[in-house]
Structures are given as C-alpha cells and as structure tokens.
Amino acid sequence: MNGIKFKNKFTKSRHPLKKSLRINLSNWILESVAKLPKFQGGLVHSLQTIDEHRKREVFSVAKPDDVDLEFLHIWIFETFLIGDIDELKQGLQNLFSDFSKTRYIIPFKTKTEDIDNTFKGIGNSLLSLSQHRIGLIDVLGNTEKLRSKRTWIENFHVSVHHFSQSFVTVSFGVEPTPLFKQIVHDVLLDETPARIDFILPKSLKHLKLWSTFPGYSQMFSVHVKRECIENLMLEFKYEATNIISQYLRGIFIRNGSPIPSIELFCKKSSRNQRTGNHQSEVVGKKCLFWDSVGMSKRSLDYFENEKEGLSIFLSNYYEKETIDKPFKLLLEKAKANLKSDADAINDRLIHETEYYLETLSPILIVQ
C-alpha cells in the first residue's frame, strides 16, 4: 500500500489530512519509544506500555499457508432510466469508437450498427428480461485515451442488462492487470498490524493531562486490513469509472455514489480439503484472515455447485464502518482440476460465474 496515492473521494474522506497526520505521527512516536531502554515510570513508560499492548494482539490476519487466494475480476454496474436510453446508446457508440484499437484477436468488432440493433432489441422487449453483450474495450491498447497514468486495468467487457420497464443497466467486466493483482496479493498476504489512531491530544490545552494519562484509540488488525482492501477496490473502481464517465453518466456516477460491484476471488484447495473450510489457524493466535478480507465464515452463503470440483460462495456481510457494499464471490476450485495455463483457467472461471450476474446484479443495485 505504500506509495499509492488515493484519488477517490471515499478513501480521502475516510482519512482527511489532519487525521492522517495524527495517525502517522502517533505511530511514529510509538515506534520511536519502543527502541529506547525500558522506562519504569513517566510518559515514556506509558507510551511503551501502549506499544506493547498493540503488539500483543491475539488475532492474526496473515494468509494461512494452506490458503491460495487470488483476486480475479470485478464487475461494476451503472444504471440508466429508460428515458435516457438514447443518451446511453450514443455514449456507448462514442466509447467503442474512441477505444477502437485492440491487441486481441476477436471474432468480431463492435460496430455502430451492432449497438443500434441491441437497443432496438431492448425497445422491442420492454416487458421481458434480456441481456445483450456489446463487446470488448482494450484499455491498455488505447493508453493515449486515458487520463490516468496507472496501468491497473487490462480491458473490460461491456454488456447491457434490461431488468425492468424503468431502467437499463450496463455492466463492465473489468480485468485487472498483473500489476494490480500483485498489489492485492501483497495486501492479502500481509500480517497487518493493529493501528493506533489517536494518541496525541486533540488540542494544546489537553497536553498537560495527556502527559500524565496518555489516552489512545486502537483499530484492530482485522479492521485495518479490511479497510486497506476496501480502499484498493474503491481506487480500482475509481480508475474504471474515470474512463466510463467520459462517455456514460448514469444514476450512480451522477449522484457521486459508490458504484455497485461484484468482486470475484478464487481459492484453490486440495482435493482432501473440505469445501468451504475457513478454520485455518496460525500457531499461537486465532486466525481472522477471512474476516479481514470480508469473507468470514458467518457471511459466506453456499451459492452453487454445478460442476465437479467447483464451489461458489457469496458474501454480502458488512461492518458498520464499510463505505462500499459489493457482493464478493468466492470460487473454490480443487487443484486436481486445474491445468498448467493459469490465464486460461482464470478465463474459464470468470466465464462460469457470468451466469450469476443476471441474478445478483438487480439485487445489488436495489440494495
């Protein structure tokens, strides 16, 4: 997470400059006094005691050795009223026209008439549910069109979903680059320490009392890690919507709300490992890894098990401090069924879960 400058307003509102300075200074003070010889009294002794208490946390949020978890994909959904359908059609035409270059060999190229036919189909089926695949946008193949210099997004697939007589939803299946996947992997792997949010007095008039009885606020590691992952996903969605909003501005972008999304993770397990097993332990500590990534055992609902070796779980449980409220899909795939080509495996897993979008996305949008 070091070195990432967050631009999305949700993360920035969570840590305004004044609060960030206090957090960073507080933790720097604790790290500094920990290096001093042990004091037997006074302010330094109190600060050393606070630091020891922070480090004695009985929970671990590090990824257990028997867990192989990978972030694969994210779908984001923007919604338009039926009255704005002409504006939506024009925006899609402009999007595909500007991002016309591609590095891929694809069976067809999305043309203006393809988009016209899609919306004629929607117009003719106002009383029925329908889904229309529009095409592929190669983001990295059109870097000159990007406002951001980050290379987090590889491409996205665009589909139009007609769920009701009142609105139409456009889904963007966003493929992260290996760089972003590695950033997420590093956070998943990390044993995130607890964080002292407030140790310094809020004003100088409290300084004398604080020097005698230094108070502090602690954020436990499970919440720190969950917040780190949420901030990353919010920033990733910001990068995607930064592209989309140049052409399409539906209900969520116009209102400045967190855009609905479904995050897809894959857990590869051995054949003899029980499906849905979230009981991994770290020696000497209770393991809260799954809680820290927003997929605790109590929040995972068994969703489907159509194919041998593939189990799908759905999580939509949130803590009160959560800003974003995505659905998280967890695929559990037996390693015995996986071939050597990791990219082909991931593409197949993503394709297998697209079936559930029509079921989940209306629930997500209304929620």
Side-chain angles (χ1 to χ4, degrees):
M1 296 288 285
N2 292 336
I4 295 178
K5 184 178 180 180
F6 291 100
K7 301 176 184 178
N8 75 86
K9 67 176 185 179
F10 306 107
T11 299
K12 291 168 73 173
S13 66
R14 173 179 269 158
H15 295 298
L17 181 60
K18 185 177 179 181
K19 181 179 178 181
S20 295
L21 289 174
R22 288 184 64 194
I23 290 173
N24 292 336
L25 185 55
S26 296
N27 283 278
W28 178 82
I29 290 173
L30 290 181
E31 291 168 3
S32 299
V33 298
K35 298 175 183 177
L36 299 175
K38 184 66 176 176
F39 279 57
Q40 297 303 317
L43 177 60
V44 174
H45 170 74
S46 298
L47 294 174
Q48 288 177 332
T49 302
I50 292 173
D51 184 64
E52 290 172 359
H53 176 74
R54 173 178 66 159
K55 293 175 179 176
R56 279 201 305 266
E57 193 174 6
V58 296
F59 305 115
S60 171
V61 295
K63 185 178 75 66
D65 292 338
D66 63 342
V67 171
D68 184 4
L69 186 67
E70 180 185 3
F71 170 62
L72 292 185
H73 202 74
I74 188 169
W75 288 274
I76 60 178
F77 302 88
E78 181 55 299
T79 300
F80 299 81
L81 297 175
I82 288 292
D84 298 328
I85 201 166
D86 290 335
E87 179 185 342
L88 168 59
K89 181 173 74 172
Q90 186 61 54
L92 285 172
Q93 290 173 340
N94 293 339
L95 173 64
F96 278 91
S97 175
D98 282 2
F99 285 78
S100 58
K101 293 189 295 185
T102 180
R103 297 165 296 151
Y104 308 107
I105 299 174
I106 54 179
F108 66 91
K109 185 176 179 180
T110 300
K111 306 181 185 68
T112 299
E113 53 264 32
D114 296 329
I115 297 176
D116 283 338
N117 291 334
T118 293
F119 283 91
K120 285 179 183 176
I122 292 175
N124 293 332
S125 60
L126 286 179
L127 297 178
S128 63
L129 301 178
S130 59
Q131 176 177 329
H132 308 267
R133 294 178 184 272
I134 303 296
L136 173 74
I137 294 292
D138 182 2
V139 176
L140 284 190
N142 296 268
T143 51
E144 72 279 1
K145 301 293 183 181
L146 304 179
R147 296 173 179 172
S148 173
K149 300 301 181 184
R150 286 176 177 159
T151 54
W152 284 5
I153 299 174
E154 190 84 39
N155 58 65
F156 48 76
H157 291 265
V158 184
S159 296
V160 175
H161 308 261
H162 183 215
F163 298 125
S164 82
Q165 301 178 51
S166 303
F167 61 85
V168 171
T169 294
V170 182
S171 69
F172 299 87
V174 188
E175 175 73 19
T177 61
L179 172 62
F180 186 74
K181 286 184 178 180
Q182 186 61 49
I183 293 172
V184 175
H185 180 267
D186 291 343
V187 175
L188 292 174
L189 194 67
D190 191 27
E191 173 67 278
T192 310
R195 186 178 73 208
I196 300 297
D197 274 3
F198 299 113
I199 186 174
L200 297 175
K202 291 186 177 181
S203 63
L204 291 176
K205 66 180 181 180
H206 298 128
L207 185 60
K208 184 175 180 180
L209 177 63
W210 175 83
S211 64
T212 307
F213 304 103
Y216 68 97
S217 172
Q218 177 170 324
M219 190 175 188
F220 291 106
S221 57
V222 64
H223 301 296
V224 176
K225 188 165 187 172
R226 189 185 298 133
E227 183 181 285
C228 287
I229 294 171
E230 184 185 20
N231 287 339
L232 266 181
M233 293 304 174
L234 283 168
E235 193 68 10
F236 185 72
K237 292 201 295 183
Y238 168 83
E239 291 292 315
T241 54
N242 204 22
I243 299 170
I244 296 164
S245 63
Q246 298 176 59
Y247 304 91
L248 306 169
R249 296 182 63 83
I251 294 172
F252 296 103
I253 291 178
R254 285 176 179 170
N255 291 339
S257 307
I259 197 162
S261 61
I262 298 175
E263 300 168 5
L264 178 63
F265 291 82
C266 179
K267 175 190 175 187
K268 301 179 180 105
S269 61
S270 61
R271 265 294 188 191
N272 57 7
Q273 189 174 0
R274 182 173 65 86
T275 299
N277 179 18
H278 283 54
Q279 298 300 313
S280 302
E281 298 291 330
V282 174
V283 176
K285 293 184 177 182
K286 182 178 180 181
C287 180
L288 291 182
F289 169 73
W290 291 105
D291 294 75
S292 72
V293 298
M295 290 182 277
S296 65
K297 187 178 181 182
R298 67 181 180 276
S299 73
L300 281 177
D301 294 323
Y302 182 70
F303 195 56
E304 186 65 49
N305 188 11
E306 279 189 342
K307 301 187 179 182
E308 184 180 359
L310 177 64
S311 303
I312 301 178
F313 297 85
L314 170 67
S315 174
N316 63 337
Y317 173 81
Y318 309 106
E319 301 288 348
K320 62 180 180 180
E321 68 271 11
T322 303
I323 294 176
D324 200 12
K325 290 180 170 56
F327 282 168
K328 293 179 186 283
L329 281 180
L330 175 64
L331 304 182
E332 189 174 273
K333 188 73 175 175
K335 289 181 179 177
N337 285 359
L338 298 180
K339 299 178 181 178
S340 57
D341 188 345
D343 289 337
I345 294 165
N346 290 346
D347 288 345
R348 191 173 78 248
L349 293 176
I350 292 167
H351 177 72
E352 288 175 358
T353 56
E354 287 182 341
Y355 167 80
Y356 306 106
L357 294 187
E358 284 199 64
T359 302
L360 292 176
S361 46
I363 302 170
L364 180 65
I365 290 164
V366 172
Q367 176 177 292

